[in-house]
Amino acid sequence: MKSLVKNISYAFLIFLLLAALFSLFTTHEKKEEISFAELVEQVKEGQIEKIVVKEDEVNILLKDGTKEFTYKQAGVSLEEMLKMYGVTEEQLLKANITSERKERSDIFWFFLASVLPIVLIGFFFWWILKQGQQGAAQALSFGKIRARRYGVGGRIQEKVTFKDVADLEEAKTELKEVVEFLRNPKKFTEIGARIPRGVLLLGPPGVGKTLLARAVASEAGVPFFSVSGSEFVEMFVGVGSSRVRDLFTIAKKNSPCIVFIDELDAIGRHRGAGIGGGHDEREQTLNQILVEMDGMERNSGVIVLAATNRPDILDPALLRPGRFDRRVVLDMPDTKGREEILKIHTRKKPLAKDVNLREIAERTPGFSGADLANLANEAAILAARRNKKEISQKEFLESIEKVLLGPERKSHILSKEEKKIAAYHEAGHALVSTFSPETEPIRKISIISRGLAAGYTLRLPEREKYLKTKTQFLSELATLLGGYVAEKLKFKEITTGAADDLRKASELARKLVMEYGMSRLGPMTFGKKESLVFLGKEITEQRNFSEEVAERIDEEVERFVKEAYKRAEKILKTKRALLEKIANRLIEKETIEREEFEKLIEEEKNKFGKRSKSKKTEEAKI
Ligand code: ADP
Ligand code: MG
Ligand code: ZN
């Protein structure tokens, strides 16, 4: 399309140029118009040097050099007309009349009218042919892979080194070793060690798999070919496997080198599990990869690096030793890792003195490297919007919520009534959480809507938790129901705002029974998860238990939820005054931070400070 516009504008330019040339040739010299009678007079008096007739235009050159012109009647020759006006033959001869049929401009117009269209049409056909050829070339190269080459002899991208990758120490060591293999194969082969054929990077999205591979590319000192798994998948049958062949041919030619297949899960699904028959295109592509990897000689100097988020859906054949014989697992960063990642992503940003990356890392459990990079960027944007020269801690903390919950929706203004409901709802969550055992302190309560939520309550995780206790789960369940209960207590009515909480609570309760063995059914798991290809989600849960057990599971789930409801209700009924107070403060200020929240609770405690001790111990047991 672009080239069409370009060609048209070229043609237009040429046309303009020709037009300009044309007007240059036909610039009229200065001439004076005279009447025919005057001309007759001049002829009779013999003042004429010569007369040139062009159609009806009569151009006259006088002996004194002046130029004139006039018009004659069409269809009659000038001589005849002059004779009618009484000019003699002799005088006519002296006037030296010639006529000119075709002028230069006529030739030009002829050219324009006949040659130019031909040229243009020819040009047009040539252009179409050229396009066609390109198309044909494209069709021919369809089976070719567009592997981007980096590293030695390749293009230079924004350079990423191992220094730009924080945390992930084990993964880095592993990959450095692989690089070492390629650089210095002799050292390893002489001692009888085999060079690995494939290295698989496993880990959830955003932990830095692609980043790490890019670091390898720039540090390996060998060519690095990068393709994405989705590039093998085309509409046309056979393209995928042909591209695999092509990729490995290129790789072998350039060995020693590294081939990086990103998002391997796009091709490497379970074979035979595809909907629409076993002979599915993906299967052929995958087969081809296996064939190529097996066919590669050991020590051929080609190492295949692949990355995936979903090892569970990869074909076991791919994971067999001898193919991807090394697996590097990348974990979500812990607090220290998060701090290091933040350090990397704030390296080039001006930070205020009060910035404490450790604190931010502590407040962002569950954030991946990508989330943290995003967080650092959001903080910078926020600071810039506030016309600051430096990013301060405030901006970082505010960005956490933005990354976590989506942007504040200022336009989504709650009505007065909705605000009131949201306030009691969130206060309910916060209070139940505070007065339940083994819970983290409340960090912030807000009724400013963010993302899809009308309000939110954030808790402060004090440290990373890998194991959770049943007590914690039960507190969690009660907290989830806190919003629902608070609404019911206050308004004798329930809104849709609690729907998400209820869904989460039911899911959690079901997990306690079916996966964690925390119910009366005892230490057993129920159901087998199957992930369905294509959808990539767990949509089927195979039943491996009887109808009777299913009923008991349902009973247990129900019991968990009901008990959680009772606990939440008990807490909120005994803390009714506090609930009112916090809700009212929320309506007034929209957000309550940790300090304020704790102060409110402390005040209330002091009011009833003379309560008996036994009551307090009972509370702790809830
Ligand atoms: P994926 O594992 O999904 O391939 P990426 O490698 O694309 O994730 O990571 C996305 C971004 O997150 C990177 O470009 C980088 O900015 C950031 N990131 C992730 N992990 C780290 C890390 N360990 N150190 C520094 N930045 C990281
Ligand atoms: Mg990636
Ligand atoms: Zn809620």
Side-chain angles (χ1 to χ4, degrees):
M1 196 57 224
K2 230 177 171 177
S3 63
L4 177 67
V5 172
K6 208 168 112 188
N7 285 332
I8 287 181
S9 52
Y10 268 136
F12 187 67
L13 215 83
I14 291 171
F15 178 79
L16 272 184
L17 217 77
L18 290 177
L21 228 81
F22 164 67
S23 66
L24 210 73
F25 275 122
T26 53
T27 37
H28 289 267
E29 304 139 89
K30 261 202 182 149
K31 291 190 271 197
E32 206 182 317
E33 184 169 0
I34 53 168
S35 68
F36 199 78
E38 279 175 283
L39 174 65
V40 174
E41 208 52 38
Q42 284 164 353
V43 174
K44 281 183 179 165
E45 278 167 23
Q47 294 174 5
I48 308 280
E49 174 71 35
K50 72 170 187 187
I51 292 177
V52 179
V53 183
K54 277 184 201 163
E55 319 235 318
D56 298 337
E57 195 185 309
V58 184
N59 290 296
I60 305 129
L61 179 65
L62 295 185
K63 281 195 172 125
D64 62 5
T66 41
K67 287 171 178 170
E68 298 166 338
F69 72 98
T70 185
Y71 296 99
K72 71 173 181 64
Q73 236 173 305
V76 193
S77 76
L78 181 65
E79 287 90 338
E80 272 172 69
M81 277 185 75
L82 286 172
K83 273 183 197 160
M84 283 195 290
Y85 280 89
V87 176
T88 61
E89 288 281 340
E90 201 180 330
Q91 283 164 333
L92 263 184
L93 266 172
K94 273 191 193 152
N96 196 10
I97 296 171
T98 54
S99 66
E100 214 176 66
R101 261 282 140 74
K102 284 207 172 75
E103 41 176 325
R104 253 198 308 250
S105 63
D106 283 348
I107 298 169
F108 180 79
W109 280 116
F110 173 77
F111 170 78
L112 213 66
S114 55
V115 179
L116 198 67
I118 293 172
V119 169
L120 278 178
I121 288 169
F123 180 72
F124 185 66
F125 273 104
W126 169 78
W127 176 68
I128 285 194
L129 270 173
K130 204 179 81 176
Q131 297 287 310
Q133 269 170 3
Q134 269 175 8
Q138 260 165 18
L140 281 178
S141 68
F142 219 66
K144 294 247 170 6
I145 186 78
R146 276 153 286 197
R148 288 163 299 279
R149 181 178 173 151
Y150 301 109
V152 177
R155 51 172 140 158
I156 299 162
Q157 60 185 147
E158 201 188 323
K159 209 170 174 179
V160 177
T161 62
F162 280 128
K163 278 208 196 83
D164 297 307
V165 185
D167 205 25
L168 307 175
E169 286 309 326
E170 293 109 33
K172 275 199 261 184
T173 323
E174 193 86 8
L175 288 174
K176 274 179 193 160
E177 207 178 292
V178 170
V179 169
E180 184 66 28
F181 274 134
L182 288 179
R183 279 199 186 147
N184 209 344
K186 255 198 176 160
K187 192 166 114 187
F188 294 89
T189 48
E190 267 170 8
I191 207 167
R194 289 192 308 183
I195 295 176
R197 265 192 202 144
V199 181
L200 190 58
L201 300 174
L202 302 171
V207 284
K209 297 181 295 294
T210 310
L211 184 76
L212 204 56
R214 282 171 60 194
V216 173
S218 58
E219 305 231 339
V222 296
F224 184 94
F225 297 96
S226 169
V227 289
S228 176
S230 55
E231 284 170 60
F232 292 108
V233 186
E234 281 277 357
M235 262 175 4
F236 303 99
V237 177
V239 170
S241 47
S242 138
R243 283 189 180 163
V244 172
R245 268 196 300 276
D246 196 43
L247 174 64
F248 280 89
T249 313
I250 297 173
K252 279 178 211 152
K253 255 187 231 154
N254 288 285
S255 91
C257 70
I258 296 176
V259 173
F260 175 52
I261 307 176
D262 205 356
E263 327 264 334
L264 184 67
D265 38 314
I267 23 169
R269 314 248 172 183
H270 273 300
R271 281 177 300 168
I275 297 168
H279 275 286
D280 142 82
E281 169 72 0
R282 284 206 174 90
E283 185 175 321
Q284 288 185 25
T285 308
L286 185 57
N287 267 335
Q288 194 61 41
I289 292 185
L290 298 180
V291 167
E292 294 287 349
M293 285 188 81
D294 284 343
M296 240 168 15
E297 274 171 54
R298 274 278 163 195
N299 311 337
S300 65
V302 178
I303 289 184
V304 183
L305 196 62
T308 178
N309 311 326
R310 311 217 42 200
D312 53 317
I313 61 165
L314 286 184
D315 193 307
L318 264 180
L319 305 178
R320 201 199 72 186
R323 279 150 190 171
F324 290 102
D325 30 20
R326 293 221 170 180
R327 262 167 266 175
V328 180
V329 178
L330 310 188
D331 276 323
M332 284 295 221
D334 56 8
T335 314
K336 191 170 145 281
R338 288 197 296 273
E339 190 183 350
E340 277 168 31
I341 294 172
L342 280 170
K343 259 184 209 155
I344 283 183
H345 288 281
T346 50
R347 239 176 356 201
K348 285 172 198 148
K349 298 186 174 81
L351 299 182
K353 282 211 182 71
D354 70 336
V355 170
N356 179 353
L357 294 180
R358 177 80 199 177
E359 189 195 353
I360 297 158
E362 277 166 3
R363 289 194 178 197
T364 48
F367 271 44
S368 67
D371 290 331
L372 292 168
N374 187 10
L375 168 69
N377 190 42
E378 287 292 344
I381 290 173
L382 205 58
R385 267 216 307 250
R386 292 176 178 164
N387 297 321
K388 289 191 178 174
K389 291 274 174 292
E390 285 176 332
I391 311 167
S392 63
Q393 186 78 346
K394 207 165 141 245
E395 274 89 35
F396 278 107
L397 293 179
E398 283 182 46
S399 304
I400 294 178
E401 273 143 55
K402 188 161 184 191
V403 173
L404 206 61
L405 303 159
E408 269 182 20
R409 296 204 313 186
K410 289 255 164 66
S411 63
H412 187 91
I413 294 167
L414 299 175
S415 73
K416 223 173 166 188
E417 195 54 35
E418 282 172 325
K419 223 171 161 178
K420 205 171 158 193
I421 294 170
Y424 277 90
H425 180 107
E426 296 307 327
H429 282 310
L431 276 179
V432 174
S433 173
T434 310
F435 292 102
S436 292
E438 294 191 30
T439 52
E440 290 96 9
I442 296 296
R443 183 162 75 66
K444 185 175 185 176
I445 320 171
S446 170
I447 53 166
I448 295 172
S449 67
R450 259 181 196 283
L452 292 173
Y456 56 95
T457 302
L458 292 178
R459 274 169 303 182
L460 178 73
E462 284 183 327
R463 65 191 161 79
E464 216 76 18
K465 285 209 182 77
Y466 296 103
L467 294 175
K468 277 189 149 187
T469 61
K470 185 175 170 184
T471 310
Q472 281 164 358
F473 279 129
L474 294 184
S475 295
E476 176 82 36
L477 265 181
T479 303
L480 279 169
L481 288 169
Y484 177 91
V485 173
E487 282 185 40
K488 209 170 160 191
L489 273 183
K490 175 70 188 171
F491 305 102
K492 313 269 177 292
E493 176 73 288
I494 301 149
T495 64
T496 51
D500 193 49
D501 296 335
L502 296 184
R503 188 182 51 74
K504 277 190 199 147
S506 315
E507 270 170 22
L508 180 58
R510 196 160 283 275
K511 266 192 186 162
L512 292 187
V513 181
M514 294 178 68
E515 285 179 35
Y516 305 148
M518 290 178 175
S519 74
R520 282 184 192 156
L521 289 176
M524 261 201 280
T525 66
F526 302 95
K528 193 175 149 201
K529 288 237 163 76
E530 281 265 307
S531 46
L532 209 66
V533 277
F534 290 115
L535 299 173
K537 271 187 179 163
E538 297 154 1
I539 62 163
T540 57
E541 232 163 332
Q542 258 183 19
R543 286 258 298 256
N544 57 359
F545 42 85
S546 68
E547 212 43 60
E548 192 208 336
V549 172
E551 241 166 65
R552 281 172 62 203
I553 289 175
D554 289 341
E555 270 167 30
E556 282 296 285
V557 171
E558 194 186 323
R559 194 174 62 87
F560 270 127
V561 175
K562 278 204 171 136
E563 254 162 39
Y565 179 89
K566 272 192 217 139
R567 284 174 62 173
E569 195 178 31
K570 193 171 169 194
I571 293 173
L572 291 181
K573 272 187 174 159
T574 49
K575 306 285 172 200
R576 185 61 193 259
L578 204 50
L579 177 69
E580 296 287 337
K581 209 166 155 188
I582 292 168
N584 284 326
R585 183 68 62 91
L586 264 178
I587 293 170
E588 180 192 329
K589 295 181 69 178
E590 294 195 334
T591 44
I592 299 181
E593 296 282 347
R594 181 181 181 174
E595 295 73 28
E596 194 175 359
F597 180 73
E598 279 170 1
K599 223 173 95 196
L600 282 172
I601 287 182
E602 207 52 43
E603 275 171 25
E604 198 66 20
K605 247 190 208 156
N606 292 340
K607 242 194 232 170
F608 301 99
K610 278 146 208 148
R611 265 198 200 170
S612 67
K613 266 196 174 164
S614 65
K615 185 114 190 177
K616 263 191 181 159
T617 44
E618 194 193 325
E619 257 171 34
K621 258 192 269 164
I622 297 175

